[in-house]
Amino acid sequence: MFDLIREIGQTMRNNKLRTALTGFAVAWGIFMLIILLGMSRGVYNNFTSFASADNSNSLGIWGGWTGKPYKGYKEGRPIRLEETDLQSVEHHNPDNVSSAQGSVVLDSAQISTNRDYVSDPIYGRYPDEVRYAKLKMAYGRFLNQPDLDHRRKVVVLSRANAKILFGDESKAVGQYVKAMSLAWQVIGVYDHDWEKGSYVPFTTAMMLNGNDGRLSEMMVRIKNVHNTEEGTQVEQAVRHTLAANHEFAPDDTGAVHIWNRFNNYLTNMEATNILNVAIWIIGLLTMLSGIVGVSNIMFVSVRERTHEIGIRRAIGAKPRNILIQIVTESVAITTLFGYIGIVCGTIVTGTVAKLTEGTDFLKNPTVNLSIAIQVTIVLIIAGAFAGLFPAIKATKVKPVEALRDE
């Protein structure tokens, strides 16, 4: 082992400039691969933070306008979702619908205190909205089921609005605000990257809306779906149910607008996977120039050591021993400079992660242990291939001709 390490060092010393230039090419290729993989991971993390698999198992539905005549009705008829549609969608699609929830949006309702006022939307939602909308509670709590059951006049404010209304958002919980001529108790303050609206119990919002049963939006949570085909089938089944309730053509896509978050999630995940594969290909092609350089170094090494190889063959060294030696030298050179590229790439991605922290473009664009292991495996395989052909040439050296070599 020590003899092998010494020979590798001697090979590198005998070809200092060539080794340095080739090593730089290998290190640069690995460096670019690490940078590209880090950026790809940052984009992927940013995507998954906004569209988790849990949040994506749903259909968002809004009322629209009919686009074709149906059962004596003319086209252009408005379709308004109603509270009765919630139970209907759950009842007619039990295998694929876990729940159907409504939403009421009271646009730009003014919320005020003696200090100041804000004019942002007020949403009538259900308790699990905190999980699906990825709201982080800074103070207090979110809506709960008793709030809905008793139609409580409670509100959850955004951190930005709570600061405007009370000066200090940490003191907002338990205080009262005025909205729509009623007093509302603040039960929580949430934090979010861009949302600023206020949340009240769905049942309370429906009551304030005159109990007309009209919904601003439906959110249908789906289950037992695994691919885009099944996701499309569930979407069509829900559309058929709403078509029967409101008497519009089942194939009239303009009557109700359905955002299939599940299919959209799968499509984006597929695009992200393609991006990752493309980045691997680009990185490997960038590294190829360095690998070719390593192979050239080993060819030169074999040619310069023809006499030495002949002596080894003459005293009984088998071709397998020569093959292993040359391939090991190639792997060692590739791995050494490759790890320099890994270290430099890791430092750069870590710096980028610090600089982009909190932005909407990249989220933690760093490489993890699994990626480092993958790159290490690539280095070993690449080094082995780089030394394979020179090693095969070395095994074909005939001892007699090699000993006559000057």
Side-chain angles (χ1 to χ4, degrees):
M1 175 61 70
F2 291 106
D3 291 337
L4 181 59
I5 295 175
R6 180 177 54 80
E7 290 173 358
I8 293 173
Q10 183 178 354
T11 301
M12 296 175 67
R13 285 193 300 271
N14 291 340
N15 303 277
K16 292 179 182 179
L17 180 60
R18 189 184 297 114
T19 301
L21 294 176
T22 303
F24 175 78
V26 173
W28 178 257
I30 292 296
F31 172 78
M32 291 303 300
L33 178 59
I34 292 294
I35 294 296
L36 291 172
L37 290 175
M39 297 303 105
S40 173
R41 182 177 173 82
V43 172
Y44 176 81
N45 290 340
N46 188 63
F47 164 68
T48 54
S49 67
F50 285 99
S52 65
D54 183 39
N55 188 37
S56 297
N57 287 339
S58 63
L59 306 176
I61 307 175
W62 298 266
W65 301 78
T66 57
K68 57 180 65 176
Y70 185 74
K71 289 187 177 181
Y73 293 104
K74 294 182 179 181
E75 69 272 15
R77 178 167 55 97
I79 301 298
R80 299 290 180 262
L81 300 176
E82 299 179 358
E83 193 172 4
T84 55
D85 291 327
L86 303 177
Q87 292 79 18
S88 179
V89 167
E90 290 182 0
H91 176 73
H92 289 94
N93 305 278
D95 295 333
N96 297 113
V97 173
S98 58
S99 68
Q101 298 179 358
S103 172
V104 178
V105 181
L106 307 174
D107 290 325
S108 299
Q110 189 179 96
I111 301 177
S112 63
T113 61
N114 293 331
R115 174 188 174 88
D116 210 335
Y117 72 91
V118 294
S119 295
D120 286 308
I122 296 179
Y123 304 110
R125 297 287 168 86
Y126 286 76
D128 59 2
E129 182 69 16
V130 65
R131 178 161 55 97
Y132 291 114
K134 295 186 178 297
L135 305 178
K136 298 178 182 178
M137 297 305 300
Y139 306 99
R141 64 172 177 85
F142 197 69
L143 305 172
N144 59 25
Q145 192 58 43
D147 294 333
L148 270 71
D149 296 339
H150 301 291
R151 295 184 173 86
R152 292 171 177 168
K153 292 188 286 296
V154 293
V155 61
V156 179
L157 302 175
S158 67
R159 181 191 286 267
N161 285 346
K163 187 173 183 179
I164 293 173
L165 294 173
F166 298 99
D168 184 352
E169 62 268 30
S170 64
K171 299 179 179 179
V173 176
Q175 302 294 323
Y176 284 84
V177 297
K178 185 176 181 180
M180 296 170 288
S181 302
L182 294 172
W184 300 76
Q185 185 179 27
V186 179
I187 60 172
V189 175
Y190 72 87
D191 203 359
H192 196 270
D193 292 336
W194 50 268
E195 182 61 70
K196 292 177 60 180
S198 303
Y199 292 88
V200 301
F202 170 76
T203 52
T204 307
M206 289 293 291
M207 181 179 64
L208 292 175
N209 230 18
N211 284 321
D212 59 0
R214 296 285 178 85
L215 303 177
S216 301
E217 176 189 357
M218 279 182 61
M219 181 66 71
V220 178
R221 312 294 179 190
I222 60 179
K223 61 181 180 180
N224 300 328
V225 289
H226 308 92
N227 51 54
T228 54
E229 182 179 354
E230 294 178 353
T232 301
Q233 291 175 353
V234 175
E235 176 185 338
Q236 292 174 346
V238 171
R239 188 183 297 277
H240 275 69
T241 300
L242 296 175
N245 292 348
H246 297 274
E247 295 188 311
F248 62 83
D251 59 347
D252 188 353
T253 57
V256 290
H257 303 291
I258 300 180
W259 178 20
N260 194 325
R261 289 186 173 95
F262 178 77
N263 282 2
N264 185 67
Y265 175 79
L266 292 183
T267 301
N268 289 335
M269 286 295 296
E270 183 178 352
T272 303
N273 292 334
I274 293 174
L275 172 64
N276 193 49
V277 171
I279 284 175
W280 267 102
I281 293 174
I282 294 172
L284 293 176
L285 290 176
T286 304
M287 193 176 67
L288 182 61
S289 60
I291 300 305
V292 171
V294 172
S295 184
N296 288 335
I297 279 187
M298 299 314 300
F299 271 117
V300 172
S301 176
V302 169
R303 185 170 64 249
E304 293 177 347
R305 295 157 63 187
T306 302
H307 192 72
E308 174 193 334
I309 293 173
I311 294 175
R312 291 189 178 188
R313 292 291 308 277
I315 62 177
K318 297 180 180 179
R320 182 181 62 184
N321 301 123
I322 304 299
L323 181 71
I324 292 175
Q325 178 185 350
I326 301 300
V327 170
T328 303
E329 289 183 14
S330 176
V331 170
I333 293 173
T334 305
T335 304
L336 173 62
F337 288 100
Y339 268 111
I340 294 175
I342 291 177
V343 172
C344 293
T346 303
I347 292 173
V348 171
T349 54
T351 303
V352 173
K354 291 292 185 181
L355 295 176
T356 59
E357 189 173 4
T359 64
D360 295 332
F361 175 61
L362 294 174
K363 187 178 181 66
N364 190 25
T366 57
V367 293
N368 56 18
L369 180 61
S370 64
I371 293 179
I373 293 174
Q374 292 172 19
V375 173
T376 300
I377 294 173
V378 169
L379 279 174
I380 294 173
I381 294 175
F385 271 104
L388 181 62
F389 296 105
I392 293 175
K393 181 181 178 180
T395 60
K396 294 181 180 179
V397 173
K398 296 180 179 180
V400 176
E401 294 180 0
L403 291 172
R404 288 202 304 264
D405 184 67
E406 295 295 336

